[in-house]
C-alpha cells in the first residue's frame, strides 16, 4: 500500500508493478493526483504550474527521460536572460566580488546562520551594495531553499548533488508527467490516512472512509504532514526517524500568477528581478510569455514573507503584486485573472519543500529514508539525501522505496531490482 499520489507515491507504485508486485493500492487525501505538482488553468484554459515548475538539470535526469519517452515538450530556462529593477529606478551596483566575499566569509563560519553572516559582512558595505546583496540572497538562496537566510547556514545549503545541463519548464504543464505515471495505477482519492498500525505481522491503515490491511506501507506524504503528526503511527516511530522529522525544516515558496490582456514588460526577458524597498517581497518573477506565448507573470515569495501573505485575501495579494510592478513599469493594467497559492496553509502539505535548518545535517534525509521493521517505508523529496527538495529526488525516492519493499518481501527479488 502507498500513502500519497504525488510523484513519489506514483513512482513507488509503478516501480512495484514493474517488479511484479501488482496488488498495490495508492491512497490520496486530495481530490486530485500530483501532490505538490499542481497544474491549473488560467484564463481560457492556459496551463500554469502552481507547485513544481522546473526540471532541475536535464542531463541524466529521470524526469527528462519520462518527458522524452512520452513526447512531452520542454523549454529550457536561461537564468542569465534577466532584468533587475530597483525601487528607486537606479541601476544595480556592479562592484566585483560582492557575492564572492559573502560566501568566503560564510565558509569560514559554516554553522552560523547566513543572516548573521550577512549582517557581519554588510557592516562594511555601502547602503546600495547592502541592499543589492540582500536582494541576491533572497532570490538565489531563500527562493531556492524556501526559507529565510536566518534559518540557513553554509553547511545547510552546501549539500546534495545536481544533474548537469540547463533547467527546463513544461509549457503545457507538469501534470503531463504525473498523468503518465498514474496510468493503470489503483488510486483512491479523498482517502486521507489518519493512522498506520504496524504492531502486528502486517500493517493496518486507517482512513476516514475505510480500514485497509497490507503486508507493507510506503508513506510518501510531505515532511510538513509528518511534522504536524497528521498521521499517527502505532507503535511510535523509532527515535532515529522521529529525530529526522523534527530536525528537518519545511519551507514555503508561494506563487502569484497573473494573466494580463497584453505584455507591458520586457517580452523576451525570462526572469524579472525587483530589489524593492522592502527586501524579500516580490523580488522575482518568471515571465511565461517566452514559453507559452501568453501574457502571464508568475511572481514568487519565499520564507517568512511567503508565509505571511497567506493570511491576506486574494485582492490584497494582487494589489501588492501590482504595486511592485508599477514601481518597475509605471502604471499597469489590472490582470484578467489570477491564481494564488497558500502552501503553508495546505493541510496535505503544510509547506512547499524541505530544507536543512541551521544545526541540522543532510544525513537526516537519509535517516528518514530508512525502513521501520521492514513494514513501514518512506519516500518523498525529504527522504532523498542527494536530491532533496526536487521532483527528481521525489521520483527516485519512490523507486528506492519500491526496491526496499521488494527486498523485504524477497531478498532475491530485491537484488535483481
Amino acid at each position: 500500500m502507498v500513502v500519497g499520489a504525488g510523484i513519489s507515491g506514483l513512482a513507488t507504485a509503478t516501480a512495484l508493478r514493474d517488479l511484479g508486485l501488482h496488488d498495490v493500492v495508492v491512497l490520496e487525501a486530495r481530490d486530485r493526483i500530483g501532490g505538490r505538482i499542481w497544474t491549473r488553468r488560467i484564463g481560457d484554459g492556459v496551463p500554469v504550474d502552481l507547485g513544481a515548475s522546473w526540471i532541475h538539470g536535464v542531463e541524466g535526469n529521470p524526469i527528462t527521460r519520462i518527458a522524452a519517452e512520452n513526447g512531452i515538450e520542454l523549454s529550457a530556462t536561461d537564468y542569465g536572460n534577466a532584468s533587475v529593477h530597483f525601487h528607486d529606478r537606479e541601476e544595480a551596483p556592479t562592484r566585483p566580488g560582492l557575492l564572492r566575499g559573502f560566501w568566503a566569509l560564510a565558509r569560514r563560519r559554516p554553522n552560523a546562520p547566513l543572516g548573521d553572516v550577512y549582517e557581519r559582512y554588510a557592516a562594511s558595505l555601502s547602503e546600495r551594495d547592502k541592499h543589492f546583496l540582500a536582494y541576491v540572497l533572497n532570490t538565489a538562496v531563500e527562493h531556492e531553499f524556501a526559507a529565510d537566510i536566518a534559518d540557513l547556514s553554509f553547511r545547510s545549503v552546501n549539500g546534495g548533488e545536481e544533474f548537469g545541463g540547463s533547467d527546463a519548464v513544461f509549457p503545457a504543464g507538469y501534470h503531463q508527467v504525473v498523468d503518465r505515471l498514474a496510468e493503470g495505477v489503483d488510486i483512491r482519492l479523498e482517502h486521507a490516512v489518519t493512522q498506520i498500525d504496524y504492531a502486528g505481522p502486517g500493517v493496518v491503515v486507517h482512513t476516514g472512509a475505510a480500514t485497509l490491511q497490507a503486508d507493507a506501507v510506503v508513506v510518501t506524504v510531505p515532511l510538513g504532514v509528518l511534522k504536524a503528526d497528521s498521521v499517527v503511527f502505532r507503535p511510535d516511530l523509532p527515535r532515529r526517524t522521529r529525530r529526522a522529522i523534527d530536525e528537518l525544516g519545511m519551507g514555503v515558496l508561494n506563487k502569484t500568477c497573473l494573466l494580463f490582456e497584453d505584455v507591458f514588460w520586457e517580452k523576451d526577458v525570462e526572469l524579472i528581478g525587483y530589489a524593492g524597498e522592502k527586501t524579500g517581497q516580490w523580488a522575482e518573477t518568471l515571465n511565461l510569455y517566452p514559453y507559452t506565448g501568453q501574457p502571464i507573470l508568475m511572481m514568487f515569495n519565499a520564507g517568512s514573507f511567503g508565509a505571511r501573505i497567506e493570511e491576506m485575501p486574494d485582492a490584497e495579494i494582487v494589489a501588492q503584486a501590482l504595486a511592485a510592478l508599477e514601481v518597475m513599469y509605471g502604471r499597469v493594467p489590472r490582470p484578467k485573472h489570477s491564481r494564488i497559492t497558500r502552501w503553508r496553509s495546505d493541510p496535505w502539505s503544510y509547506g512547499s519543500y524541505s530544507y536543512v535548518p541551521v544545526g541540522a545535517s543532510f544525513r537526516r534525509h537519509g535517516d528518514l529514508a530508512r525502513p521501520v521493521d521492514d513494514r513501514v517505508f518512506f519516500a518523498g523529496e525529504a527522504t532523498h539525501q542527494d536530491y532533496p527538495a526536487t521532483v527528481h529526488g521525489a521520483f527516485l525516492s519512490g523507486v528506492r522505496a519500491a526496491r526496499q519493499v521488494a527486498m523485504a518481501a524477497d531478498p532475491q527479488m530485491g537484488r535483481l531490482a
Side-chain angles (χ1 to χ4, degrees):
M1 185 171 298
V2 178
V3 180
I7 195 161
S8 57
L10 296 175
T12 302
T14 55
L16 286 171
R17 183 179 60 196
D18 292 344
L19 290 168
L21 301 175
H22 295 281
D23 190 17
V24 180
V25 174
V26 179
L27 304 177
E28 169 56 47
R30 302 181 191 272
D31 61 0
R32 62 173 179 85
I33 63 172
R36 287 167 284 167
I37 294 177
W38 187 25
T39 305
R40 292 199 68 186
R41 304 284 167 172
I42 193 170
D44 296 327
V46 182
V48 289
D49 284 315
L50 300 182
S53 289
W54 279 275
I55 296 180
H56 292 290
V58 296
E59 294 178 0
N61 195 306
I63 309 303
T64 308
R65 175 180 54 79
I66 294 171
E69 290 175 350
N70 291 279
I72 301 172
E73 180 187 1
L74 299 177
S75 183
T77 299
D78 179 4
Y79 295 114
N81 181 14
S83 63
V84 180
H85 302 256
F86 269 75
H87 65 93
D88 53 13
R89 296 182 181 274
E90 291 187 18
E91 294 296 319
T94 57
R95 188 164 76 82
L98 184 64
L99 190 60
R100 188 165 58 248
F102 169 83
W103 285 118
L105 179 59
R107 286 187 186 91
R108 294 198 294 272
R109 306 180 67 208
N111 296 313
L114 292 178
D116 292 352
V117 176
Y118 167 79
E119 292 297 335
R120 181 174 176 179
Y121 182 68
S124 62
L125 300 178
S126 68
E127 288 301 314
R128 191 73 177 166
D129 283 349
K130 185 187 301 185
H131 187 66
F132 182 68
L133 178 60
Y135 153 77
V136 171
L137 293 176
N138 173 243
T139 55
V141 178
E142 293 181 329
H143 285 205
E144 181 77 10
F145 293 92
D148 294 348
I149 56 173
D151 299 320
L152 301 166
S153 67
F154 178 77
R155 180 158 290 169
S156 71
V157 303
N158 192 37
E161 304 291 338
E162 295 180 350
F163 286 108
S166 64
D167 289 1
V169 296
F170 296 84
Y174 225 130
H175 73 96
Q176 300 168 99
V177 173
V178 172
D179 291 346
R180 298 304 185 277
L181 289 175
E183 291 175 357
V185 177
D186 182 357
I187 303 171
R188 303 180 188 181
L189 301 177
E190 299 183 283
H191 276 62
V193 172
T194 57
Q195 182 173 309
I196 296 174
D197 186 338
Y198 63 101
V203 178
V204 181
V205 178
H206 300 270
T207 77
T211 298
L212 304 96
Q213 295 186 343
D215 295 326
V217 63
V218 181
V219 181
T220 75
V221 300
L223 174 66
V225 174
L226 294 174
K227 293 177 77 69
D229 292 324
S230 300
V231 180
V232 175
F233 292 87
R234 293 287 183 261
D236 291 339
L237 291 172
R239 183 178 179 182
R240 176 196 67 243
T241 307
R242 189 71 250 178
R243 183 180 180 184
I245 293 169
D246 292 342
E247 290 191 6
L248 291 171
M250 188 65 172
V252 60
L253 178 69
N254 274 316
K255 298 181 176 183
T256 299
C257 184
L258 303 176
L259 169 66
F260 293 92
E261 188 68 42
D262 203 356
V263 175
F264 59 80
W265 56 90
E266 305 96 325
K267 182 176 290 187
D268 297 325
V269 167
E270 295 177 51
L271 285 175
I272 301 169
Y274 174 50
E277 189 172 5
K278 296 180 179 180
T279 299
Q281 300 185 16
W282 308 102
E284 191 167 44
T285 297
L286 180 66
N287 174 20
L288 297 186
Y289 184 83
Y291 317 125
T292 67
Q294 298 291 326
I296 302 173
L297 295 177
M298 185 74 78
M299 307 180 76
F300 301 90
N301 286 295
S304 57
F305 183 70
R308 196 185 320 152
I309 65 171
E310 296 194 14
E311 301 173 2
M312 304 175 188
D314 286 4
E316 184 176 348
I317 295 173
V318 171
Q320 284 202 17
L322 292 178
L325 292 171
E326 286 183 349
V327 173
M328 292 186 271
Y329 298 106
R331 186 173 179 84
V332 301
R334 294 284 305 175
K336 294 169 56 181
H337 199 68
S338 64
R339 293 288 189 190
I340 295 169
T341 67
R342 291 178 173 84
W343 286 108
R344 174 71 78 197
S345 307
D346 187 330
W348 311 125
S349 63
Y350 289 124
S352 302
Y353 43 87
S354 66
Y355 69 94
V356 178
V358 173
S361 166
F362 270 80
R363 291 194 302 272
R364 296 292 168 248
H365 292 295
D367 289 342
L368 187 53
R370 293 175 66 177
V372 177
D373 291 351
D374 279 341
R375 291 194 298 284
V376 180
F377 303 83
F378 290 90
E381 53 84 11
T383 74
H384 205 291
Q385 189 168 329
D386 291 334
Y387 304 112
T390 63
V391 174
H392 56 265
F395 176 86
L396 290 170
S397 76
V399 175
R400 179 207 64 228
R403 291 173 176 169
Q404 290 172 328
V405 171
M407 178 70 79
D410 182 344
Q412 181 64 25
M413 179 186 296
R415 282 193 293 271
L416 295 174

